[in-house]
Amino acid sequence: MTAANGIRLVLFGPPGAGKGTQAQLLRESLGIEHVSSGDLFRHHLSNGTELGELARGYMNRGELVPDEVTIGMVIDRISDIGDADGFMLDGFPRNTTQAEALEAALGERDQRLDRVVHIQVEDSELIRRLSNRYVCRACQRPFARDPETGVPPAKCVYCPDGGDIYQRDDDTEAAVANRLSIYHQETAPVLEFYRQRGLLADIPGERSIDAVHHSVLRILDTAGAGAVSKS
Ligand code: AMP
């Protein structure tokens, strides 16, 4: 078991890189909060909030929801997290305006990010993963189709009542192509923003889930003095 002392990190990478999966594992091993902007939007969508209605069209087309909406939603969520608790952001920031807003909001509280972990995966592999991806409506964990039958599981094996498994509207072929093109145009420049600040760590993501997880843990061990301590 590993305990994190208020570590603040960004899990960065294209859609389908495995950020959500790694976040679940890190939450279990480090006990830090997982803040996924996509999950926050999906929560608003399923609750039929005004913000959810606003985001719906952008999300279905695989486009970025406007910064005026996104930044406030994520910063509000982070402000609820106590100093000692730490967090990992997944899906945010997705452009340099968001990265600057995050830096400013943390700076106002005398905080900074400890690490930005970039999970690298080639487009061809991302397309393969996303077109086979199904998720649990309750916990958002991803599932693949059975390689032999081609059928996804009917119910989530992690949720006590077996949450429904569905394919996200933005995992269709057209939306995936759009999301990848937006990633390369608008999101990838954020890497340079963090590289300049000495925060970026690149990790090859086309390996087993466990291998990627261990690489992330190794990187966090070197993030800031004593950011991660093992017990
Ligand atoms: P994700 O689950 O991270 O793939 O996000 C699903 C969708 O939510 C994205 O395709 C966007 O439409 C929207 N979204 C999530 N995070 C952001 C963000 N940081 N900026 C703008 N839109 C976002």
Side-chain angles (χ1 to χ4, degrees):
M1 181 68 181
T2 309
N5 179 16
I7 192 167
R8 289 180 278 272
L9 66 121
V10 171
L11 284 176
F12 197 92
K19 302 185 293 295
T21 302
Q22 293 300 325
Q24 293 278 359
L25 291 175
L26 286 174
R27 197 170 59 169
E28 283 157 22
S29 50
L30 302 181
I32 54 177
E33 296 257 1
H34 172 205
V35 178
S36 153
S37 45
D39 286 353
L40 290 175
F41 279 129
R42 281 184 286 278
H43 187 73
H44 278 282
L45 264 185
S46 58
N47 286 320
T49 68
E50 201 178 319
L51 194 153
E53 283 314 310
L54 198 153
R56 184 190 301 278
Y58 296 99
M59 292 178 75
N60 287 349
R61 291 189 297 274
E63 293 168 8
L64 296 189
V65 179
D67 288 340
E68 303 81 79
V69 178
T70 307
I71 290 171
M73 176 185 76
V74 175
I75 304 286
D76 277 358
R77 173 70 186 86
I78 295 174
S79 351
D80 291 342
I81 299 172
D83 273 8
D85 293 333
F87 59 76
M88 60 195 141
L89 281 168
D90 154 11
F92 184 95
R94 257 175 157 98
N95 59 31
T96 41
T97 308
Q98 295 180 5
E100 282 160 2
L102 174 65
E103 189 173 63
L106 291 177
E108 277 173 23
R109 297 197 283 157
D110 278 335
Q111 293 178 346
R112 63 190 294 277
L113 290 172
D114 295 296
R115 225 26 168 166
V116 176
V117 176
H118 171 211
I119 307 175
Q120 297 172 304
V121 178
E122 291 296 325
D123 279 10
S124 53
E125 172 65 7
L126 296 168
I127 291 166
R128 192 191 67 75
R129 288 185 188 181
L130 291 171
S131 55
N132 279 298
R133 176 168 83 171
Y134 290 77
V135 291
C136 167
R137 211 177 277 285
C139 72
Q140 302 293 327
R141 278 192 175 85
F143 295 88
R145 291 198 187 107
D146 183 302
E148 276 169 23
T149 62
V151 177
K155 293 282 179 192
C156 177
V157 293
Y158 301 104
C159 287
D161 298 328
D164 286 339
I165 305 290
Y166 79 115
Q167 186 168 38
R168 282 170 40 171
D169 288 340
D170 59 353
D171 280 346
T172 59
E173 207 179 315
V176 166
N178 208 17
R179 286 159 73 200
L180 289 181
S181 126
I182 289 173
Y183 176 80
H184 290 298
Q185 281 168 34
E186 298 187 40
T187 308
V190 176
L191 290 171
E192 195 44 40
F193 179 93
Y194 287 128
R195 206 182 302 279
Q196 284 170 6
R197 284 156 176 77
L199 290 173
L200 194 67
D202 296 313
I203 292 192
E206 292 184 41
R207 295 176 297 152
S208 72
I209 291 172
D210 264 5
V212 175
H213 178 54
H214 283 106
S215 295
V216 178
L217 287 180
R218 258 198 309 280
I219 280 164
L220 297 188
D221 245 343
T222 61
V228 177
S229 60
K230 295 194 177 76
S231 55

